[in-house]
Amino acid sequence: MSVVTSFTASDGKATSSDIADRLERMPWVEKYRPKKLDEVSSQDHAIQILKRNLQTANLQHMLFYGPPGTGKTSTILALAKQLYGPNLFKSRVLELNASDERGISIVREKVKNFARLSVSNPSKEDLENYPCPPYKLIILDEADSMTTDAQSALRRTMETFSNVTRFCLICNYITRIIDPLASRCSKFRFKLLESEQSLNRLKFIAERENVKLENNSEDEVLQEILKIANGDLRKAITFLQSASRLYSLNIKNVEDQDEDGDVKLNDVDINGGSSEFITISEVREIAGLLPETKIKALLSTIQSKNLDAIFQFLKDDIFLDGYNGAIIIETIHDRLLLGNEYEENEENISLRLSTKQKIEISEIIFDTDLKLINGGDESLQVLNMVLKISQILK
Amino acid sequence: MSLWVDKYRPKSLDKLDYHHDISKRLKALASSGDFPHLLVYGPSGAGKKTRILSSLRELYGPGVEKLKIDVKTFVTPTNRKLEFNVISSPYHLEITPSDMGNNDRIVIQDLLKEVAQTESVDFSNIVSNMKPTINKKNKFKVVIINEAELLTRDAQAALRRTMEKYSSNIRLILISNSTSNIIGPIRSRTLLIRVAAPTNIEILSVFNKIIEKEDLLKFLPKDEIEREKLLNNIANYNDRNLRKAILSFEALYMNNDIITISTPLIKLDWEEILKKLADSILIKRSVANIQHIRSILYDLLSHCIPARLILKTLVINLWEFCSINDKKYKIKSKDEVKLKIVNTGSIFDERLSLGSKDIFHLEGFTIKVMVILEKDSL
Ligand SMILES: Nc1ncnc2c1ncn2[C@@H]1O[C@H](COP(=O)(O)OP(=O)(O)OP(=O)(O)O)[C@@H](O)[C@H]1O
Ligand SMILES: [Mg+2]
């Protein structure tokens, strides 16, 4: 059952206000998911080839790979829509992802059964508007979470029914796809998004959604979002929406106390008047990053070499405040090793460190990261890391 | 009679005692009638769940408190039947998939799809009973996922497309102690809300409310300063964990006719045992003691105290004892020793998660610490 039918089952047809309503309630990442290949930004190479394939309606098996939030799922869905149009889509496309059972038995049955079906006939109308090529498309999204057995079971199916079916595998890590499968596909690498194109996309969304950003200088807030998102456009869009949901509402007199001493949170005026603007520090808070004051305190505590102070600081000001270990590692890496990006002043410790010290620090960071990946306890591992680094700093 | 922690759990955003800025944001979020998937994280006992339930009440009215528990059965691919508890109100579900261990993926796959695909609640009949701020826009169903940090990778992967595909009729609220174990693709699909543990001052203000409502003043020290000191001790002992703090305040009250500044706090058995254990590791460094310690460790493990928690607590205790009592243990350089203990702790902590025999690693840690002290004492 599709989302649309389940949603409107009670009153028969979806009215246009229903649809508008639903759009309203969609997370922005969904609302602004590219609907056509042309709308996918930054992946010029892949898109160019796919567009050519679309024109000739001639597809091979495909393998999309690349980091999260770079447009893989969006691209294949857009391609499928443009190939078949909305009507034919239902009978021609099978999408399976990690939320579907995809063990070996499913691959043998469900996938195989769909793959061997002969293709349905497109209506005249569809034929006029869409290429409607004579094969079906099976999308295996998040294929890196399939077991190798299940992947092996696919090999035959892929070959046997290639006259009526094309596959598209999608994954983050290409190394998790077994060779015999990968070698049957033409591969498309999705890159981390370039900041200029992402910026344009964010600006577009911010404008459409009426997001009010603090504008002390050129797009500073959006730039900060992009920097934190680090090439993952979904992350960037989610941050933007979070910030606007949490911070840009106009909230009046929220902290009046009523008679019982309860803090009265007055009703909120959503669209009215001059609202708060989203600031850089709010964006950082949403991303769970340390505020600048905390970073300073962290760095000066490390330098103090007072072990008990370090112990206490990590416990009270980091972990009990809910910040996570990965953030501390990142911050330390950023400020001690990559400090060149920051101003050359007293506080920039990295400029004072020798190469040898930096190497030692990166070894410690590496060691901690590994232990955490192996399932180590955050607070203990980070404590050990910070203590060790404190011994290296002079 | 219900426990104070339940009795005095605030039910609406207005009544929450601290982090007013977060309450304010949540109120804004709820009143906009819509919110993205949420990942609410923070240390345990910080009030994450209370805050979420209050927000749901803001969104749906008191109906969210009409809870029932269902037992659902699932069938694994290997045809094993599993039973699973689901708590629900007409508006939301609450699940703890980590109860199912490695089968959590199946719960996520089946249950969430079932919820997302069945018709969402028809709000038109209910709207009239709800607060006027609620409009019929809230056509999605909320699913609270507890202990999200314990979800297996497979279960998390199963969430990815579900969160996208059904985003117009389902909202997930993941509750987690930390974001570290949540995979990136999920973090980037959620709005992150950090809930810090309350400060001691904030805990005291909660205590004072309870004192007033339960009329406890007559059982407490008359002197205001002493009273404050007592409450502070309770808060301090519980490391800013509000739930623990209230429980231990109540236990103190139940166990004593009158509470004075010198009334001993009620302490958890296993925590006290670990304190003694740490002291004994530092002072009695012998093979005989190792055997003794082993039997205590076995005992703790058989009482379901997780090995990782034992190790971490030991490291903290050892640290504190070395700081305060370095004379007693004849430590030469206490900084040196403390650094080594933490380092050893970090090694055995990793081994605990890689290996499978907890007792080996706990014992290994104990012995290693004895060796450190042997080398570093006068
Ligand atoms: N190249 C892009 N152009 C435009 N929008 C994009 C692009 N990449 C990502 N987005 C935005 O991010 C959202 C997520 O993208 P998508 O689902 O395609 O990512 P993905 O590559 O499949 O990620 P994952 O590996 O996590 O599944 C889209 O809905 C869209 O809003
Ligand atoms: Mg995807």
Side-chain angles (χ1 to χ4, degrees):
Chain A
M1 207 193 311
S2 80
V3 181
V4 181
T5 51
S6 68
F7 196 69
T8 52
S10 57
D11 47 16
K13 276 215 176 88
T15 63
S16 61
S17 86
D18 263 358
I19 292 172
D21 228 43
R22 205 168 56 236
L23 223 69
E24 187 62 25
R25 266 180 294 113
M26 266 190 196
W28 294 355
V29 276
E30 290 309 313
K31 197 166 161 187
Y32 296 99
R33 188 184 278 284
K35 312 259 169 337
K36 297 195 218 109
L37 290 180
D38 277 328
E39 291 171 20
V40 176
S41 50
S42 241
Q43 310 294 357
D44 301 340
H45 184 66
I47 297 302
Q48 208 186 345
I49 301 175
L50 290 173
K51 267 163 71 181
R52 213 178 304 137
N53 291 348
L54 179 63
Q55 264 162 14
T56 57
N58 184 9
L59 286 190
Q60 294 171 302
H61 296 313
M62 293 166 285
L63 172 58
F64 292 2
Y65 64 101
T70 49
K72 300 178 298 297
T73 305
S74 312
T75 301
I76 193 64
L77 291 178
L79 177 67
K81 290 235 170 66
Q82 284 177 278
L83 267 183
Y84 301 112
N87 296 325
L88 206 54
F89 188 97
K90 288 183 206 111
S91 61
R92 290 288 187 86
V93 180
L94 174 68
E95 185 202 338
L96 291 174
N97 53 65
S99 74
D100 302 295
E101 185 52 51
R102 289 187 301 191
I104 185 160
S105 56
I106 298 292
V107 169
R108 288 214 180 106
E109 287 157 36
K110 194 167 171 181
V111 175
K112 194 167 156 193
N113 286 341
F114 185 84
R116 75 158 162 240
L117 284 180
S118 52
V119 288
S120 55
N121 282 328
S123 67
K124 199 163 142 248
E125 200 189 330
D126 284 338
L127 269 176
E128 278 165 15
N129 295 314
Y130 302 98
C132 303
Y135 47 78
K136 289 155 291 154
L137 179 63
I138 298 185
I139 303 171
L140 293 170
D141 204 347
E142 291 147 10
D144 32 9
S145 65
M146 292 173 77
T147 61
T148 30
D149 283 351
Q151 292 188 34
S152 305
L154 265 181
R155 287 154 52 172
R156 281 282 303 284
T157 317
M158 254 169 119
E159 246 159 38
T160 319
F161 304 107
S162 64
N163 56 337
V164 283
T165 301
R166 298 290 182 278
F167 280 83
C168 179
L169 305 178
I170 303 181
C171 65
N172 293 127
Y173 305 102
I174 194 171
T175 46
R176 301 230 184 106
I177 305 295
I178 60 169
D179 241 17
L181 275 196
S183 64
R184 284 173 168 78
C185 301
S186 49
K187 299 180 198 61
F188 297 85
R189 186 168 78 91
F190 283 67
K191 302 169 294 179
L192 288 173
L193 298 202
E194 284 152 28
S195 47
E196 198 171 319
Q197 300 214 33
S198 309
L199 183 63
N200 288 336
R201 189 79 185 158
L202 275 195
K203 266 189 183 159
F204 170 77
I205 296 176
E207 232 158 74
R208 290 280 290 263
E209 296 288 342
N210 245 324
V211 181
K212 300 209 171 69
L213 303 161
E214 190 187 50
N215 58 340
N216 35 14
S217 81
E218 276 291 289
D219 306 319
E220 236 183 3
V221 175
L222 293 184
Q223 295 283 14
E224 181 73 15
I225 292 181
L226 287 176
K227 192 175 141 209
I228 298 170
N230 194 16
D232 178 341
L233 190 54
R234 172 172 39 229
K235 209 179 198 173
I237 297 174
T238 306
F239 282 159
L240 184 68
Q241 183 178 18
S242 303
S244 97
R245 281 281 184 271
L246 290 183
Y247 288 100
S248 69
L249 298 169
N250 187 17
I251 303 163
K252 289 187 238 144
N253 315 325
V254 240
E255 302 224 338
D256 300 346
Q257 304 243 324
D258 70 5
E259 330 59 272
D260 331 333
D262 293 333
V263 173
K264 190 83 193 126
L265 305 163
N266 281 346
D267 281 352
V268 195
D269 173 4
I270 302 175
N271 294 316
S274 68
S275 28
E276 287 178 26
F277 293 95
I278 299 171
T279 63
I280 290 191
S281 64
E282 285 162 355
V283 169
R284 291 180 63 86
E285 168 63 30
I286 283 172
L289 298 183
L290 293 181
E292 197 56 40
T293 48
K294 256 201 187 173
I295 296 184
K296 290 216 171 92
L298 171 69
L299 294 177
S300 74
T301 314
I302 296 181
Q303 283 170 290
S304 78
K305 283 205 168 183
N306 176 343
L307 300 191
D308 288 320
I310 294 176
F311 183 91
Q312 213 54 40
F313 182 85
L314 286 178
K315 181 175 156 205
D316 267 332
D317 290 74
I318 301 296
F319 289 109
L320 283 178
D321 273 354
Y323 293 103
N324 78 31
I327 294 290
I328 306 299
I329 300 184
E330 248 168 63
T331 306
I332 288 187
H333 182 260
D334 199 44
R335 295 301 166 102
L336 294 189
L337 300 180
L338 305 178
N340 297 342
E341 292 173 15
Y342 296 87
E343 272 176 65
E344 288 187 32
N345 59 19
E346 285 283 287
E347 281 160 9
N348 192 334
I349 311 172
S350 87
L351 298 178
R352 293 202 302 272
L353 295 175
S354 67
T355 312
K356 179 160 173 283
Q357 283 173 310
K358 287 194 175 178
I359 291 174
E360 283 170 0
I361 293 175
S362 44
E363 271 171 14
I364 296 171
I365 291 179
F366 162 75
D367 176 61
T368 303
D369 192 50
L370 180 68
K371 284 177 176 156
L372 284 176
I373 286 174
N374 281 335
D377 177 89
E378 261 186 285
S379 55
L380 186 55
Q381 297 299 346
V382 170
L383 172 66
N384 183 43
M385 175 185 87
V386 174
L387 287 174
K388 279 186 163 170
I389 291 178
S390 78
Q391 301 302 301
I392 290 176
L393 298 181
K394 263 217 309 280
Chain B
M1 202 188 73
S2 61
L3 293 170
W4 290 351
V5 266
D6 296 322
K7 200 165 160 194
Y8 298 108
R9 180 194 275 251
K11 293 220 164 65
S12 71
L13 288 172
D14 290 333
K15 302 264 186 220
L16 290 173
D17 286 294
Y18 49 92
H19 297 336
H20 295 304
D21 54 331
I22 305 182
S23 310
K24 189 169 89 176
R25 303 295 170 209
L26 286 172
K27 183 140 180 164
L29 207 61
S31 71
S32 74
D34 168 35
F35 55 88
H37 303 298
L38 307 181
L39 170 53
V40 182
Y41 65 102
S44 61
K48 299 182 289 292
K49 185 71 146 297
T50 305
R51 220 157 267 275
I52 289 169
L53 293 177
S54 305
S55 311
L56 290 183
R57 197 172 190 273
E58 184 79 29
L59 199 58
Y60 296 121
V64 285
E65 286 155 23
K66 296 204 185 77
L67 296 177
K68 63 181 170 70
I69 301 183
D70 294 314
V71 180
K72 300 232 167 192
T73 32
F74 294 94
V75 184
T76 67
T78 52
N79 267 331
R80 251 186 353 120
K81 266 206 182 137
L82 300 171
E83 293 199 332
F84 180 69
N85 288 334
V86 179
I87 301 175
S88 65
S89 80
Y91 309 96
H92 82 288
L93 302 181
E94 186 180 327
I95 54 177
T96 311
S98 57
D99 285 351
M100 311 288 281
N102 283 331
N103 288 312
D104 56 354
R105 179 182 54 105
I106 299 165
V107 175
I108 300 261
Q109 286 179 339
D110 290 9
L111 187 75
L112 289 190
K113 266 191 230 164
E114 185 188 315
V115 174
Q117 291 181 345
T118 41
E119 196 186 321
S120 45
V121 201
D122 183 4
F123 280 82
S124 48
N125 317 326
I126 311 171
V127 173
S128 52
N129 305 329
M130 289 193 297
K131 301 192 348 199
T133 48
I134 312 300
N135 47 35
K136 66 178 180 116
K137 269 186 175 180
N138 311 317
K139 275 184 187 165
F140 48 77
K141 195 141 192 178
V142 173
V143 179
I144 300 179
I145 299 185
N146 290 316
E147 299 184 1
E149 75 276 5
L150 299 178
L151 291 176
T152 59
R153 293 284 146 135
D154 280 347
Q156 295 192 42
L159 279 177
R160 292 169 61 168
R161 269 303 275 161
T162 308
M163 292 172 87
E164 296 180 336
K165 232 172 149 172
Y166 303 110
S167 61
S168 59
N169 44 356
I170 194 167
R171 282 295 179 281
L172 301 185
I173 302 183
L174 306 170
I175 304 187
S176 171
N177 279 338
S178 163
T179 51
S180 292
N181 291 333
I182 310 286
I183 59 174
I186 294 208
R187 269 185 277 158
S188 75
R189 284 164 169 87
T190 52
L191 192 175
L192 305 171
I193 296 181
R194 179 175 58 86
V195 181
T199 60
N200 280 355
I201 297 172
E202 287 162 339
I203 291 183
L204 287 207
S205 85
V206 175
F207 281 173
N208 281 322
K209 272 196 185 167
I210 296 178
I211 291 174
E212 196 191 313
K213 299 235 168 83
E214 292 281 317
D215 201 10
L216 301 177
L217 270 184
K218 48 184 178 289
F219 305 105
L220 294 168
K222 296 278 166 301
D223 180 53
E224 204 170 314
I225 297 173
E226 271 192 15
R227 189 165 66 233
E228 188 143 316
K229 205 164 153 207
L230 169 80
L231 297 179
N232 230 324
N233 286 346
I234 304 176
N236 246 333
Y237 178 73
N238 289 293
D239 274 341
R240 292 170 59 190
N241 181 329
L242 183 58
R243 184 188 316 109
K244 260 178 90 186
I246 297 178
L247 284 171
S248 97
F249 185 26
E250 185 169 9
L252 195 65
Y253 165 72
M254 300 301 283
N255 280 291
N256 297 282
D257 296 330
I258 199 119
I259 310 171
T260 71
I261 185 77
S262 47
T263 311
L265 299 185
I266 313 274
K267 301 186 170 171
L268 292 176
D269 284 349
W270 68 270
E271 288 183 350
E272 289 308 299
I273 293 175
L274 283 177
K275 285 211 172 102
K276 289 208 192 90
L277 202 65
D279 179 58
S280 123
I281 294 173
L282 292 171
I283 201 117
K284 273 198 263 163
R285 306 184 293 261
S286 67
V287 175
N289 196 32
I290 293 173
Q291 277 179 355
H292 172 66
I293 288 172
R294 178 188 303 142
S295 66
I296 296 175
L297 289 172
Y298 259 127
D299 211 35
L300 288 169
L301 288 173
S302 69
H303 282 83
C304 292
I305 312 285
R308 322 255 319 253
L309 186 59
I310 295 180
L311 180 74
K312 189 164 131 185
T313 314
L314 270 181
V315 171
I316 294 174
N317 291 341
L318 290 166
W319 175 286
E320 280 168 359
F321 291 168
C322 290
S323 293
I324 309 164
N325 289 335
D326 53 326
K327 300 265 157 31
K328 173 176 171 192
Y329 308 118
K330 300 204 175 69
I331 294 173
K332 258 190 280 180
S333 151
K334 56 179 171 182
D335 275 3
E336 213 38 45
V337 169
K338 286 193 295 196
L339 287 171
K340 284 186 184 154
I341 289 177
V342 172
N343 186 42
T344 310
S346 86
I347 293 168
F348 282 91
D349 174 55
E350 184 188 28
R351 291 189 188 162
L352 272 178
S353 61
L354 293 177
S356 58
K357 269 282 189 196
D358 290 346
I359 188 75
F360 291 172
H361 305 294
L362 289 178
E363 207 175 293
F365 172 74
T366 315
I367 297 170
K368 201 80 199 224
V369 173
M370 288 183 177
V371 173
I372 292 171
L373 259 102
E374 232 11 71
K375 286 189 180 152
D376 246 281
S377 60
L378 298 169

